[in-house]
Amino acid sequence: MSSFLTRLTDDARIALDTLGDRAAGLVNPSVRLGVTGLSRAGKTVFISSLVHNLLNGGRLPVFEPVRSGRVSKIRLEPQPDDAVPRFQYEDHIAALVRDRIWPDSTRAISQLRLTIDYESASGWNRLFSPGRLSIDIVDYPGEWLLDLPLLSQDYRSFSTGTVERARSGLRAELSGEWLALAAAGDPHGPADEAHVRRLAEAFTAYLRACRSDERSLSTLPPGRFLMPGDLEGSPALTFAPLPDLPPGRAPQGSLAAMMERRYEAYKTHVVKPFFREHFARIDRQIVLVDALQAINRGPEALADLEGALAEVMACFQPGTNSFLSSFLTRRIDKVLIAATKADHLHHESHDRLERITSRLVARAMERIGASGAGVEVMALASVRATREATVTHDGHPLPVIVGTPIKGERINGETFDGQRKTAIFPGDLPADPDALFSPHGPEQAARPEVSFVRFRPPHIEETGGGLKLSVPHIRLDRAMQFLFGDRLA
Ligand code: GDP
C-alpha cells in the first residue's frame, strides 16, 4: 500500500512540475529539444554544428526566421536545470574547427540553452509576444530509451528473451563465452558477489562486441550497460540474464534471487527516474540514425537497427505504454528521424538515403499507430566533411566526393596519413530500399557496394578579423525549420 501511495504522490508531483514548466513557459517561452540516437549516430556533432551555425551566421536558407531577417540576436545562456551537466559546446567546437578532429561522443545526458530574440512575422503576435524563445537542447543516449520495454517485463521474461536472441544469428558468434560462464553456475545455488560481477562483465562484453564496428548490431537493453552515465560499477548495473531458469520462485540468497533483485532495482532507480525527470519534459525530438553504417554491414544489421528504432519510436507514442501514460501530461508533437553523415554520399543519393530511412521506421510507425503527422524523415550532414566533384573514368563522368580520410583509414590497400585529400566514388544506393533488407533472393545480387571512409572535419576558412566562418552542413537548416521554425513565427 505504501509503495502505491509513494508512486501516486511521485506522479502527482511530476504532473505539477510539468504544469509549472508550462506556466514558466508563458513568461519566458521555451522549447525543449531532445537530441538522441544510438551511440556514434552523430548527436554531439549535430548539436555543435547547429549551435555554431546559429551563433555564427551560417548559411541557413531554409530556416525561415533567419532567411527573412527576423532574428536579431542569438546567444547561449545558463541553463535552468542545475542538476544536469552542461553540453560542452566550446570544447567540442574547438576540436572540430580548430583541431579538425571529431569531438568526444555523448556518454550521458547533458543540456545547453540557446536564446533567440526575433521579430514575429505577424503584426498581431508582435504586439503580444516578447519575441524571445529559449531552446533547451537535451542530449541523451538513445540506448536509454531501449530500456522502456523492460518496465513491463519481469526478470524471467527478460532473461528468456535476451538469451534467445543471444543464441541466434550473428549474435550467436559473440555470446559463447558469456553463455558458457552462465551455464556453468546453478541459478538456485548460493549467490556469490564475485561470480555475479564476472557474469555482468561477460554479458557487457558480449553487448559491446555486438556494437563493434565490424558487427554494427544495435544495442539491446539494458541500455546503461554500454552507456552507464555516472552509474558505472553500481550494484544496480551489476546483474545479467540467466539461461534456463528452473521453474518456480528463486530461493532466498540464491544467484537467481540476487540477479532478480538487482534487475528490479535497475528499473526502479535507473530507468524510471530518467523517463520521469528528463524524457517527460521534452517537446520536440530529433532521432539521429547512422543508416549508412548499417547498410554497409548488410541485411542483419539493418533488420537489427529497424528493431531498435521501433523500440525508440514506441517511446514517442505514450499510449502504447502504461508507465509513460501514467505521468506524461504533454506529448512530443514533432519527431524528426534524420539519417546522418549524408556527406559520405553524392547528393544524387540523398533522396535514396531518405527513402531507406523511411523504410527503416515505416513498420514501427505503423505498429505504434503514428499517423505520420508530426513525424518527418530526412537525410542530413551536420558537418559536411567532403566536396563533390566529377572525374572521368573509362570515358564516363563519375560523381565522386573529395575529403581528407582520417589517419589510418585504408582504401584499396592504401593507408592515409590524415593530411592528404582523396577522391572516392562512394557507390550508389539502390532506388528500391527493399533490395537492402532482403537477406535472400535475387535482390541479393543487386546489393550495393557502398564504401565508407571516415573523413576528417573540413578546413574552415577564416574571414578578415581572424573569425572562422560557420561549419558547412547539408540540410541542417531544414531540420531547424521543422524542429522549431514554427515557434519563431
Ligand atoms: P554520438 O555518439 O551520437 O554523440 O556521435 P558523434 O556526434 O560523436 O559522432 C560520431 C562520429 O560520427 C564522429 O566522430 C564522426 O566521425 C562521425 N560524424 C558524425 N556526424 C558527422 C557528419 O555530419 N559528417 C561526417 N562526415 N561524419 C560525422
Side-chain angles (χ1 to χ4, degrees), residues 85 194 205 263 270 288 295 346 408 457 459:
Y263 171 77
V270 181
L288 298 168
I295 292 170
H346 200 266
H459 175 71

Side-chain angles (χ1 to χ4, degrees), residues 38-45 102-103 105-106 341 343-344 381-383 385 454:
L38 298 176
S39 120
R40 315 281 306 158
K43 300 177 286 296
T44 311
V45 174
W102 296 104
S105 300
T106 301
K341 313 182 193 179
D343 57 323
H344 284 93
S382 316
V383 173
R454 298 214 305 144

Side-chain angles (χ1 to χ4, degrees), residues 304-328:
D304 203 77
L305 178 61
E306 185 180 15
L309 284 173
E311 304 292 0
V312 166
M313 295 297 290
C315 299
F316 303 127
Q317 198 72 2
T320 54
N321 183 283
S322 58
F323 165 72
L324 278 188
S325 342
S326 71
F327 63 85
L328 278 187

